[in-house]
Amino acid sequence: MNCIKKFHFLPFFSVLFLGHFVSCQLDYRFYDSTCASLTKIVRYGVWSAIANETRMAASILRLHFHDCLVDGCEGSVMLDDTSSMKGEKNAFPNRNSVRGFEVIDAIKASVEKSCPGTVSCADILTLAAREAVYLAGGPFYMVPLGRRDGLSAKESSANEQLPSPLEPLENITAKFTSKGLDLKDVVVLSGAHTIGFAQCFTFKSRLFDFGGSGKPDPALDTSLLQNLQSVCPNQVDSDTNLAPLDPLTINKFDNSYYMNLVNSSGLLQSDQALMGNDKTASMVMNYSKYPFLFAKDFGASMVKMAGLGVLTGQNGQIRKTCRAVN
Ligand code: HEM
Ligand SMILES: *[C@@H]1O[C@H](CO)[C@@H](O)[C@H](O)[C@H]1NC(C)=O
Ligand SMILES: *[C@@H]1O[C@H](CO)[C@@H](O)[C@H](O)[C@H]1NC(C)=O
Ligand SMILES: *[C@@H]1O[C@H](CO)[C@@H](O)[C@H](O)[C@H]1NC(C)=O
Ligand SMILES: *[C@@H]1O[C@H](CO)[C@@H](O)[C@H](O)[C@H]1NC(C)=O
């Protein structure tokens, strides 16, 4: 369904409101008449993936973030490399790290059975992330649909645009603000680290020789430090071992990420850095005390993130499979 078609069915007097329809914005009811079963199909696909592996809720949420932050939410993160295109999958922040492609492929295949050629991979991933957050105990938020899929992906875009856990908060914030997100979104969306896992190499520099000091990061709680040192011994072969981002409630989407930060128990250097700045620290305090405030703000920031750089109308395409352009 595109904006031009919609326009044909409008009664004559609606011409007065033409401006609303030619802009091709996202719409809460975009697939109501073309794929009424969409939400149910996505919900079931995410539910069964999480039933098989609890961590998948976190992995799908992160996949959506990595799609949206790099050249917008247009499904480019899901494109496989081709002989003529080095895509995002093998960029440094994604390779051997981002997960959940098979889950989205399976959901896309079921959606194609019910509504062929109708629903974009970008919208499926957006809905899957919403369901994952909800099924993990987080807020349910309404998200408008109508994204179309991009025609290309670029490894260098992912390398340049995704944040690193080792860069300072100012740099991470700059990456978010360059997209139209703000400092509050950085703090709120980082709360996604209330679920899921990180590999030792993403935080090991904090455990043994922080910034060349020969000592651990002083901003890391000493009992958590001891646990992490045993999960991630100081040798290369521990690099891919896993530690939970929120050891308090590993699989539950709640506000304990912020409680951890208040207690010097953030896992990534970039997590704990939110306490190193007065403005972000007071937001962290707020969310550590008020779970409902976090739930409400998280939903709002997710909708904002899900609107970044979207393709609508006649732009892009509806892919047949999420791994390749048509
Ligand atoms: C603010 C800057 C951010 C940085 C530097 C960052 C960095 C990371 C890193 C290094 C990991 C571990 C990856 C691995 O070990 O393979 C991770 C995991 C994760 N990130 Fe982030 N992240 C950020 C923001 C976000 C945002 C905004 C979201 C979602 C809204 C998110 C969701 C997740 C989730 C759910 C996981 C766990 C994934 C899993 O278990 O499969 N992150 N992040
Ligand atoms: C279930 O999860 C395991 C990992 O825990 C994975 O290897 C397997 O492919 C998953 N099976 C299905 C049907 O998703
Ligand atoms: C942070 O950004 C500045 C300015 O863009 C850059 O010079 C610096 O190398 C970045 N720091 C890190 C650790 O990425
Ligand atoms: C910090 O940890 C202590 C126990 O170690 C706990 O009593 C306190 O509630 C925690 N604070 C927050 C904000 O979670
Ligand atoms: C804390 O939350 C309240 C809303 O309950 C808000 O008015 C206030 O600005 C927040 N403070 C910070 C520092 O985010």
Side-chain angles (χ1 to χ4, degrees):
M1 174 66 62
N2 61 52
C3 335
I4 310 293
K5 268 192 202 148
K6 256 186 193 169
F7 166 68
H8 283 307
F9 298 119
L10 290 175
F12 178 70
F13 54 79
S14 297
V15 160
L16 285 172
F17 303 102
L18 198 60
H20 293 288
F21 296 96
V22 289
S23 59
C24 290
Q25 285 165 349
L26 300 178
D27 180 347
Y28 289 98
R29 313 187 61 175
F30 192 82
Y31 298 110
D32 277 12
S33 60
T34 54
C35 195
S37 55
L38 176 62
T39 307
K40 274 185 188 152
I41 297 171
V42 175
R43 184 167 300 161
Y44 177 74
V46 173
W47 177 85
S48 50
I50 295 174
N52 175 58
E53 187 198 3
T54 315
R55 183 187 177 192
M56 197 47 76
S59 302
I60 290 170
L61 174 56
R62 182 167 186 240
L63 190 57
H64 176 50
F65 166 55
H66 283 208
D67 183 27
C68 292
L69 208 70
V70 180
D71 300 331
C73 313
E74 24 74 297
S76 55
V77 71
M78 292 178 276
L79 288 174
D80 285 338
D81 288 2
T82 67
S83 53
S84 58
M85 186 190 80
K86 271 168 104 71
E88 295 169 23
K89 280 186 175 175
N90 285 309
F92 182 72
N94 290 335
R95 188 184 339 150
N96 297 325
S97 176
V98 91
R99 314 168 73 245
F101 296 111
E102 298 77 11
V103 173
I104 304 303
D105 288 341
I107 296 173
K108 171 68 171 172
S110 331
V111 171
E112 284 299 301
K113 267 189 205 143
S114 298
C115 330
T118 306
V119 185
S120 65
C121 295
D123 272 344
I124 288 174
L125 181 53
T126 299
L127 281 175
R130 190 268 303 272
E131 297 300 324
V133 167
Y134 183 63
L135 290 170
F140 186 86
Y141 50 90
M142 297 298 288
V143 62
L145 302 170
R147 291 164 195 75
R148 289 168 65 86
D149 294 322
L151 304 176
S152 65
K154 218 164 129 188
E155 184 178 29
S156 58
S157 297
N159 280 326
E160 286 156 18
Q161 297 171 32
L162 289 169
S164 154
L166 301 177
E167 67 185 341
L169 178 61
E170 298 68 45
N171 290 38
I172 291 175
T173 303
K175 286 177 176 174
F176 279 65
T177 54
S178 74
K179 307 283 173 182
L181 298 171
D182 60 24
L183 187 64
K184 181 179 173 185
D185 297 314
V186 173
V187 176
V188 172
L189 292 171
S190 293
H193 290 173
T194 177
I195 54 174
F197 293 81
Q199 302 175 68
C200 293
F201 78 86
T202 64
F203 56 85
K204 208 193 261 182
S205 57
R206 305 183 71 197
L207 306 184
F208 302 102
D209 183 19
F210 185 65
S213 65
K215 294 197 181 104
D217 185 347
L220 185 54
D221 174 83
T222 49
S223 85
L224 178 61
L225 172 68
Q226 282 176 6
N227 285 334
L228 293 175
Q229 285 174 332
S230 73
V231 176
C232 311
N234 195 7
Q235 54 212 33
V236 176
D237 68 5
S238 76
D239 274 1
T240 57
N241 293 356
L242 295 173
L245 283 156
D246 166 22
L248 223 52
T249 52
I250 297 178
N251 296 309
K252 183 149 178 51
F253 195 102
D254 56 16
N255 70 330
S256 59
Y257 168 80
Y258 300 102
M259 299 186 185
N260 296 334
L261 298 188
V262 171
N263 274 358
S264 302
S265 301
L267 183 62
L268 307 177
Q269 197 180 308
S270 51
D271 291 326
Q272 199 57 50
L274 296 176
M275 288 304 285
N277 164 298
D278 287 347
K279 245 189 194 161
T280 55
S282 66
M283 292 186 228
V284 168
M285 293 296 298
N286 230 7
Y287 294 129
S288 77
K289 279 187 250 161
Y290 303 112
F292 289 104
L293 180 66
F294 169 57
K296 175 173 111 6
D297 287 356
F298 187 79
S301 286
M302 284 296 283
V303 171
K304 204 168 156 188
M305 183 178 89
L308 297 179
V310 296
L311 301 172
T312 55
Q314 307 280 27
N315 297 317
Q317 63 178 200
I318 305 297
R319 270 181 225 150
K320 291 193 171 68
T321 90
C322 296
R323 290 177 181 270
V325 296
N326 298 338

